[in-house]
Amino acid sequence: MPVSIVTGGAGFLGSHLCDALLEKGHTVICLDNLVTGHVANIEHLAGHERFRFIKQDVTEYLYFPGAVDYVFHFASPASPVDYLQLPIQTLKVGALGTHKALGLARAKGARFLLASTSEVYGDPLIHPQPETYWGNVNPVGPRGVYDEAKRFAEALTMAYHRVHAVDTKIVRIFNTYGPRMRLNDGRVVPAFISQALRGEPITVFGDGRQTRSFCFVSDLVEGVIRLAESAEHDPVNIGNPAELTVLDFAETIRRLTGSRSPIVHRPLPVDDPKVRQPDIRRAREVLGWSPRVSLDEGLRRTVDYFRDMV
Ligand code: UDP
């Protein structure tokens, strides 16, 4: 049975990926420095005979004895609030961390999958965004630390593929939500749900006409695993194309929680993308993948998770 290393395995996406890989029979080594990841996300796996957690910063040399079949590189701050607070760590994990993870994959003859992002498209001038779009990124703006780190990570991944023939994959992850997001990570899903559940004002940034498209975590993980097992080397978007404005999203959360929280407007963060929607034709064609969980269903499950925490 395969051995998989998941960097960032105690994070929101990484921990769900660990669960899914264990379910498929993999042995899973979870690496995380716990800067934005949490032991609580993996504590249900403690004692599992095929699971091991190593507290490790992936920007440091990665040593692991024995065979490895897959390296899933998911380590990185991923919420705008987090990467604005951790700009240098974000750049380091995208650059040095990706280098170490690729080096490990090369040494082990393992497949490598990079968790990239729709942020590589920046504030897109093409809508929806296909993988062939090169993006519109401000390298010196506050979001540049994340966007450029991930763009560098993609370039390094392709270089390892071309020069060292590492079997690499790149997934461009669009907004994903679900249980185990941090209540206070600043992203719109936990922010609006916690505000609605507490009866506090819902903070819509700007006029709320900017759009996002939200994918439930189980759909995302399914797409990631299909990509890892595929023969595709070019980037593949994984996300749910169901697009809505942030204002409509606030109304949806109010409806699903039965909340009477008022909506208030706050300043729009610098370089906040005005639109975002994945073009998932490549994922459909190459992976036979498309999302299955509707926004209402996914949000109900997410609200249930947060209800006990607020
Ligand atoms: N947003 C908002 N209120 C919040 C948090 C976020 O209106 O309390 C907006 C944010 O400006 C952006 C969208 O919601 O337009 C999604 O933000 P998020 O931080 O979740 O991630 P992004 O898609 O920007 O990476």
Side-chain angles (χ1 to χ4, degrees):
M1 274 300 188
V3 176
S4 288
I5 290 189
V6 180
T7 78
F12 162 50
L13 295 183
S15 65
H16 283 284
L17 180 60
C18 289
D19 286 344
L21 293 170
L22 286 167
E23 222 158 274
K24 281 177 70 73
H26 289 220
T27 293
V28 176
I29 319 299
C30 165
L31 305 182
D32 206 302
N33 66 357
L34 301 178
V35 167
T36 58
H38 276 277
V39 169
N41 291 338
I42 50 168
E43 67 187 355
H44 60 287
L45 300 175
H48 191 299
E49 57 178 0
R50 285 183 281 106
F51 180 77
R52 201 171 134 201
F53 169 64
I54 302 172
K55 186 170 183 292
Q56 156 111 41
D57 185 330
V58 296
T59 64
E60 311 284 341
Y61 181 76
L62 297 182
Y63 170 75
F64 181 74
V68 178
D69 301 286
Y70 292 90
V71 175
F72 293 89
H73 183 38
F74 275 67
S76 177
S79 150
V81 169
D82 286 341
Y83 59 70
L84 298 183
Q85 276 170 6
L86 303 164
I88 295 169
Q89 290 93 327
T90 302
L91 283 157
K92 282 178 70 178
V93 73
L96 308 179
T98 303
H99 187 217
K100 294 287 184 288
L102 278 162
L104 181 68
R106 182 186 174 210
K108 301 289 184 185
R111 289 182 165 202
F112 175 87
L113 184 140
L114 172 69
S116 186
T117 169
S118 56
E119 282 279 328
V120 300
Y121 303 123
D123 189 4
L125 306 177
I126 297 214
H127 192 68
Q129 294 79 52
E131 292 87 348
T132 47
Y133 178 47
W134 290 356
N136 177 41
V137 171
N138 174 5
V140 295
R143 294 175 90 100
V145 297
Y146 184 65
D147 303 10
E148 297 296 6
K150 290 290 190 182
R151 289 166 68 94
F152 176 88
E154 288 198 6
L156 192 62
T157 299
M158 291 311 290
Y160 265 67
H161 174 60
R162 294 188 182 117
V163 177
H164 296 309
V166 177
D167 187 357
T168 60
K169 329 279 167 192
I170 297 172
V171 56
R172 291 188 178 148
I173 298 172
F174 284 65
N175 294 66
T176 304
Y177 69 97
R180 301 187 198 154
M181 293 186 98
R182 281 179 10 250
L183 195 61
N184 58 352
D185 84 356
R187 282 189 279 196
V188 70
V189 174
F192 284 7
I193 292 177
S194 60
Q195 290 162 348
L197 290 176
R198 289 179 180 139
E200 292 169 359
I202 296 181
T203 55
V204 168
F205 295 165
D207 61 13
R209 281 189 297 178
Q210 70 273 29
T211 69
R212 293 295 185 274
S213 311
F214 297 97
C215 184
F216 190 64
V217 63
S218 60
D219 281 334
L220 184 279
V221 168
E222 169 73 25
V224 165
I225 291 177
R226 283 192 193 206
L227 177 60
E229 292 174 346
S230 79
E232 184 65 33
H233 301 299
D234 288 331
V236 179
N237 290 337
I238 297 286
N240 190 325
E243 180 188 22
L244 76 172
T245 66
V246 167
L247 208 48
D248 285 341
F249 186 65
E251 290 297 353
T252 304
I253 297 293
R254 267 165 43 120
R255 173 171 56 79
L256 289 175
T257 54
S259 169
R260 286 160 51 185
S261 288
I263 288 174
V264 295
H265 291 267
R266 294 283 176 267
L268 192 65
V270 176
D271 295 337
D272 197 281
K274 286 180 268 307
V275 289
R276 181 181 292 154
Q277 182 189 33
D279 178 332
I280 60 165
R281 274 174 296 182
R282 185 175 286 171
R284 282 189 210 277
E285 281 160 22
V286 178
L287 310 178
W289 176 91
S290 55
R292 287 183 292 192
V293 181
S294 70
L295 186 63
D296 268 26
E297 171 58 23
L299 283 176
R300 276 201 195 94
R301 290 194 223 167
T302 311
V303 169
D304 283 347
Y305 171 79
F306 282 125
R307 214 180 277 281
D308 302 332
M309 296 185 173
V310 296

